[in-house]
Amino acid sequence: MKTIIRVAKTELRTLFFSPIAWFLIIIFLVQCAIVYISALDMLAREQENSGKILMSVTSFLFIGRTGLFGSVMQNLYLYMPLLTMGLISRETSSGTIKLLHSSPIEIREIVLGKFLSMMIYSFLLVLVIGGFVLSGYFHVVSADMGMLFSGMLGFFLLLCAYSAIGIFMSSLTNYQIVAAICTFVMFGVLSKIGDLWQDIAFVRNLTYFLSISGRTGSMLGGLITSKDVIYFAAIVFMFLGFTIYRMMAAMESVPFVVRTGRYLLVFVCTLAIGYISSIPSLIGYYDATADQSRTLAVSAQKILKEMDEPLEVTAYNNLMSGLFSLGEPKSYNTNIQRWEPYLRFKHNITLNTVQYYDTSYENANFARYMGNKTLEEYAKQIADNRDVSFQVFKKPEEIRKIIDLKPELNRYVMQLKYKGRTTFLRVFDDNKRWPSETEVSAALKRLQGARMPKIIFLMGNLERDINKIGDRDYRALTNLKTFRNSLINQGFDVDTLALNAQDIPKDITALVLADPRVKLSGHEMDKLGQYIDEGGNILIAGEPGKQDMLNPLLSKLGVQLRKGILVQTSKELQQELVTSYLTPECATFFPPLAHAHHDSARVSMPNASAFSYADTGSFRIFPLLMTDPAVSWLKKGELVRDSAEVVFNAADGDERASFPTALGLSRKINQKEQRIVVLGDADFMSNAELNRFNLRSVNFMFSTGLFSWLNDGEFPIDSSRPPPKDINVTVTKERVKLLRIIYIWVLPGLLLAAAVIVLLRRKRK
């Protein structure tokens, strides 16, 4: 060990008595300073302009692609070849390698000593990063230091791996520039090798393990895994082993088979280490984030722990679907990564993929693209265009014998199987695509045989239809399979019922009466009255002009829809669109609603009525949504919809106040809590309104929150995380200007002065 340390000292002395080491540290410091100050300046300006920052400051400042770690990682490969290119080649070209060979120093001590010197230099670069992490501790309120230390570990391990690669490349040639170029090439090979031969089952795991691309991603996000740490150790082992045997070959006369066998032994040992370290049951995890955001929610963990038998996941992937890339052969390891959070807590999850081709029902113009080709001919053309073997795909008649995927639109879908029960887990038409913990947890609960909440929507009086995609209907809310927030994807069962011909089942969770256009008959009113009297949960949604249809039913609850329509002044939106704010009690229905309430989010309600209510002693009545009296009022007179401006007119009976547009009612009856929701608008959860890009998330959260309250909060399964605490910075934009001078000019200047002094003293000696 003493010899290794002595070699490292000698190498470091040589390194720092040349300008290159100082130059790279200074450039690295300047690069880090520019990125850090630029991001900090943006945050300071955002805080001063809006008063708050709606995201994790730690992530933005350090982790994102424009953050410190993200930016530095993209350019890190440029530094190490310049440092390592002369470690061995310099000794070879100058002839000093012969002196080392003739000395009592062993080759492994030479290699390990030089690698130790690069580890120390890498640690100095980490200290530079650490300086900015320390600054972040003071500049960010409640900075997530665990995530930052995890990122620093990933940064250091990557530097060590790069160093080992550079040392090996330096041993292959006498020319330093050639060694640097070869190092660049090897970095590129290791970055891209994970994409090669992914359609060959035996090879893809080997190439994927060797890939260095994305290896620090988990650690940058705050999750340290044993397989990632072991990967970097294995890469260092492999390339240092190659270097030792390369240098031994220069001073030994051994057969080619022996030399080749040595390299193969190191390579095979590395792959064996990688294979063993990637076994799910052997992987260790440490979530360093402050809020444990890189770990499954407690609710999901509990569900997985209750599953005592293996879980089989079979993905059905249609060659002719627009989602084919999710299940194509080369995406195998990507899907393993997607399931890794669940494999962490349940090791016996089996992942399979069935490839097939069939008509794509998600593409309305499918037949036009086929032209005169048969389905098989067209499928072969698509397979050829995508460079996949057509032989692996089952024919339509073959897949239909196995499973009927037409109800799933013949698109990518996963069938989960557990204890003989099956259910589908879907992907969705949004930016995330993949199901979140909420959707996966709901599917797993269904597999366990849990009682799923059943919501019945009344029909027969021209109510909102859950099977139509028209503007006023409710398919997106209820059973649109391609939509993440639909009730069926959140764990609910939905169905319809004609009240005039059918009785209300006893086992349902809640009944929905949404904007009937035809007056309910006495027989239907009696059924609804009996259902309410027996303690059934119900959601009733009305519209302006429909007061006479619903008020007879609502009068039993002590609630009435008021005459008139709510209007709101706006320069951009229609005058009958009212944005109501969430009340504190509504925020308790569903965790995301609590976050939206604190952010003053609004629910958009076109054509809304106001409520009046009286405490009859039967129900506790409380408002869920309230209007803003500063911009809205109840208009009693005629509303001219094409008017340029709506004007408050007290003479017409207009009233200005904060009106409730949604009410909650509850009482104890039959040893349970009965819950009722009444709404002055039925459009807010319609297909048209939920597709409003700027407001859809709040409307969906509110709609989902109502159904969550109606089923006692069991579904949707809560997988939300608390909002980040690090949402403020302690500096102003004026202070950032001073920091810019210090970090970008003063500190690098001091380091440059130190370098000049050291180099001049060395030259004099």
Side-chain angles (χ1 to χ4, degrees):
M1 188 64 189
K2 292 182 179 179
T3 304
I4 294 174
I5 295 175
R6 190 162 60 249
V7 172
K9 287 182 178 179
T10 302
E11 194 61 45
L12 285 172
R13 191 179 299 111
T14 303
L15 195 63
F16 280 98
F17 284 155
S18 68
I20 185 67
W22 293 98
F23 176 75
L24 290 179
I25 288 182
I26 293 171
I27 293 298
F28 184 74
L29 174 59
V30 172
Q31 178 192 357
C32 292
I34 291 174
V35 173
Y36 179 82
I37 293 298
S38 298
L40 188 63
D41 182 59
M42 291 177 61
L43 292 169
R45 291 177 183 275
E46 176 69 18
Q47 182 170 283
E48 291 187 22
N49 292 336
S50 62
K52 56 183 177 180
I53 304 172
L54 302 178
M55 59 181 169
S56 168
V57 172
T58 306
S59 295
F60 181 83
L61 196 58
F62 290 95
I63 307 304
R65 291 187 63 85
T66 58
L68 182 58
F69 283 120
S71 297
V72 168
M73 290 291 190
Q74 296 177 46
N75 301 314
L76 194 60
Y77 69 94
L78 298 173
Y79 292 88
M80 301 312 294
L82 300 178
L83 292 167
T84 61
M85 63 183 182
L87 288 177
I88 306 295
S89 59
R90 182 180 61 247
E91 308 283 2
T92 305
S93 59
S94 64
T96 54
I97 192 67
K98 295 180 180 179
L99 296 176
L100 290 173
H101 287 166
S102 61
S103 67
I105 302 177
E106 297 184 10
I107 289 179
R108 64 177 180 84
E109 293 175 328
I110 298 173
V111 174
L112 293 178
K114 290 180 177 293
F115 177 69
L116 177 60
S117 69
M118 294 310 304
M119 286 183 64
I120 295 172
Y121 189 89
S122 298
F123 185 72
L124 294 178
L125 295 180
V126 173
L127 287 181
V128 173
I129 290 281
F132 291 97
V133 169
L134 182 62
S135 296
Y137 176 78
F138 293 104
H139 295 158
V140 179
V141 177
S142 302
D144 193 341
M145 298 305 294
M147 180 189 295
L148 296 181
F149 286 130
S150 173
M152 290 174 65
L153 174 62
F155 180 75
F156 177 70
L157 292 176
L158 183 62
L159 284 174
C160 290
Y162 281 170
S163 299
I165 296 169
I167 291 174
F168 173 62
M169 293 302 161
S170 181
S171 69
L172 296 178
T173 177
N174 296 341
Y175 303 99
Q176 296 186 28
I177 189 63
V178 174
I181 294 173
C182 290
T183 305
F184 283 123
V185 171
M186 182 55 66
F187 289 169
V189 169
L190 289 179
S191 296
K192 299 298 182 182
I193 195 172
D195 298 329
L196 302 177
W197 307 301
Q198 290 299 294
D199 54 342
I200 305 175
F202 175 73
V203 179
R204 65 185 173 201
N205 290 330
L206 302 182
T207 58
Y208 191 76
F209 167 73
L210 291 173
S211 175
I212 203 170
S213 179
R215 282 290 178 175
T216 56
S218 295
M219 280 183 272
L220 290 180
L223 181 65
I224 302 173
T225 66
S226 60
K227 68 172 185 176
D228 287 335
V229 175
I230 292 174
Y231 166 79
F232 287 111
I235 289 296
V236 170
F237 164 78
M238 182 173 71
F239 282 99
L240 291 186
F242 287 169
T243 306
I244 291 172
Y245 287 132
R246 172 70 180 87
M247 295 181 67
M248 288 176 60
M251 53 184 300
E252 294 179 346
S253 179
V254 294
F256 174 79
V257 175
V258 175
R259 292 200 302 270
T260 305
R262 290 171 173 174
Y263 292 117
L264 285 177
L265 177 62
V266 173
F267 185 69
V268 170
C269 288
T270 302
L271 294 181
I273 292 171
Y275 175 80
I276 295 172
S277 65
S278 299
I279 297 174
S281 59
L282 299 180
I283 300 175
Y285 297 86
Y286 176 70
D287 190 344
T289 59
D291 58 357
Q292 298 294 289
S293 59
R294 298 305 305 273
T295 303
L296 286 180
V298 175
S299 56
Q301 294 182 41
K302 182 180 178 182
I303 294 171
L304 289 171
K305 289 177 181 178
E306 292 172 352
M307 302 180 74
D308 54 357
E309 292 189 14
L311 171 65
E312 182 180 347
V313 181
T314 302
Y316 292 94
N317 191 37
N318 187 359
L319 170 67
M320 311 181 84
S321 168
L323 300 175
F324 173 74
S325 60
L326 292 177
E328 62 183 325
K330 66 180 182 181
S331 67
Y332 173 82
N333 284 298
T334 302
N335 288 334
I336 290 288
Q337 283 187 316
R338 288 167 173 156
W339 279 97
E340 186 176 3
Y342 305 92
L343 287 165
R344 173 180 174 183
F345 297 98
K346 183 174 178 59
H347 307 313
N348 54 351
I349 299 178
T350 304
L351 304 180
N352 306 306
T353 301
V354 176
Q355 306 286 353
Y356 73 99
Y357 72 91
D358 202 348
T359 305
S360 175
Y361 296 99
E362 63 184 326
N363 189 347
N365 297 317
F366 184 79
R368 187 182 69 181
Y369 295 139
M370 285 182 60
N372 297 324
K373 298 183 180 69
T374 64
L375 185 62
E376 183 174 355
E377 290 172 341
Y378 187 51
K380 286 182 178 179
Q381 179 182 327
I382 294 177
D384 183 62
N385 292 338
R386 289 175 168 166
D387 292 327
V388 293
S389 173
F390 184 69
Q391 305 304 319
V392 303
F393 295 94
K394 294 184 180 298
K395 296 180 179 180
E397 54 270 21
E398 293 176 330
I399 192 66
R400 291 168 190 170
K401 290 180 181 179
I402 300 173
I403 188 172
D404 180 15
L405 294 172
K406 187 175 180 179
E408 298 297 325
L409 304 178
N410 280 351
R411 52 190 267 145
Y412 184 90
V413 68
M414 291 166 281
Q415 185 187 56
L416 311 186
K417 183 180 292 186
Y418 175 75
K419 287 186 175 181
R421 290 186 287 267
T422 62
T423 190
F424 284 118
L425 180 62
R426 305 174 181 95
V427 294
F428 307 105
D429 292 339
D430 53 30
N431 292 332
K432 293 182 179 179
R433 289 286 189 194
W434 204 255
S436 69
E437 292 176 36
T438 300
E439 292 82 55
V440 175
S441 297
L444 296 179
K445 287 290 287 185
R446 193 179 293 275
L447 283 179
Q448 291 177 335
R451 181 180 179 272
M452 313 304 285
K454 189 172 185 178
I455 310 296
I456 297 294
F457 288 76
L458 295 179
M459 58 178 290
N461 293 289
L462 301 181
E463 294 94 342
R464 304 299 174 102
D465 198 318
I466 68 171
N467 296 313
K468 293 182 179 179
I469 203 67
D471 285 352
R472 73 181 296 270
D473 296 308
Y474 283 178
R475 189 179 178 192
L477 170 73
T478 57
N479 64 3
L480 185 60
K481 294 179 179 179
T482 60
F483 203 83
R484 182 184 304 274
N485 296 91
S486 285
L487 292 178
I488 60 166
N489 291 320
Q490 299 296 308
F492 293 82
D493 290 330
V494 296
D495 205 348
T496 58
L497 182 144
L499 202 58
N500 59 350
Q502 298 170 277
D503 293 329
I504 301 174
K506 299 293 185 182
D507 62 342
I508 67 172
T509 301
L511 199 66
V512 177
L513 175 62
D515 186 26
R517 289 185 172 183
V518 178
K519 192 172 183 179
L520 277 68
S521 67
H523 180 60
E524 291 171 326
M525 290 288 289
D526 290 341
K527 284 187 176 181
L528 286 175
Q530 181 182 356
Y531 174 77
I532 293 173
D533 291 341
E534 292 176 353
N537 296 342
I538 188 170
L539 183 149
I540 304 172
E543 285 279 311
K546 309 289 180 62
Q547 288 89 342
D548 293 339
M549 293 184 184
L550 293 178
N551 277 342
L553 177 63
L554 295 177
S555 63
K556 299 179 180 180
L557 307 175
V559 176
Q560 289 285 279
L561 281 167
R562 299 190 59 178
K563 297 291 184 181
I565 183 173
L566 290 166
V567 295
Q568 180 172 311
T569 56
S570 174
K571 294 181 179 180
E572 299 178 352
L573 303 174
Q574 63 266 36
Q575 54 212 12
E576 65 271 22
L577 179 65
V578 177
T579 54
S580 304
Y581 62 85
L582 304 166
T583 63
E585 184 130 20
C586 175
T588 64
F589 283 10
F590 189 48
L593 281 180
H595 307 157
H597 167 68
H598 290 303
D599 291 336
S600 302
R602 303 295 183 100
V603 175
S604 61
M605 307 185 79
N607 300 312
S609 297
F611 283 106
S612 62
Y613 59 93
D615 186 2
T616 62
S618 298
F619 290 94
R620 183 176 74 90
I621 306 175
F622 48 93
L624 305 177
L625 296 176
M626 298 292 293
T627 61
D628 185 351
V631 294
S632 62
W633 64 92
L634 179 63
K635 186 167 185 60
K636 294 291 187 65
E638 182 181 358
L639 174 63
V640 182
R641 296 182 184 273
D642 59 354
S643 174
E645 183 179 359
V646 181
V647 180
F648 176 81
N649 190 345
D652 290 340
D654 293 356
E655 297 181 36
R656 186 183 293 275
S658 182
F659 296 102
T661 56
L663 296 174
L665 296 84
S666 66
R667 66 173 176 177
K668 292 288 185 179
I669 183 172
N670 296 333
Q671 298 181 341
K672 72 163 193 171
E673 182 179 7
Q674 181 183 18
R675 296 178 173 182
I676 297 175
V677 176
V678 290
L679 302 155
D681 174 49
D683 288 322
F684 80 94
M685 53 184 179
S686 66
N687 296 326
E689 197 61 23
L690 293 179
N691 283 325
R692 284 180 180 270
F693 178 78
N694 56 337
L695 294 171
R696 73 186 280 186
S697 61
V698 180
N699 278 29
F700 255 118
M701 277 191 290
F702 178 65
S703 303
T704 306
L706 295 180
F707 289 101
S708 174
W709 185 62
L710 289 172
N711 82 99
D712 295 330
E714 293 184 14
F715 291 88
I717 295 172
D718 180 24
S719 60
S720 62
R721 301 296 196 278
K725 298 179 181 179
D726 53 334
I727 56 173
N728 295 103
V729 293
T730 61
V731 295
T732 62
K733 60 183 180 182
E734 294 300 323
R735 175 103 178 266
V736 172
K737 292 180 180 179
L738 176 62
L739 293 174
R740 185 186 300 275
I741 296 173
I742 295 174
Y743 287 177
I744 298 180
W745 298 103
V746 175
L747 292 180
L750 293 175
L751 193 58
L752 178 61
V756 170
I757 293 173
V758 170
L759 294 174
L760 287 177
R761 291 184 61 184
R762 172 63 177 174
K763 186 176 182 180
R764 289 173 182 173
K765 290 183 178 181

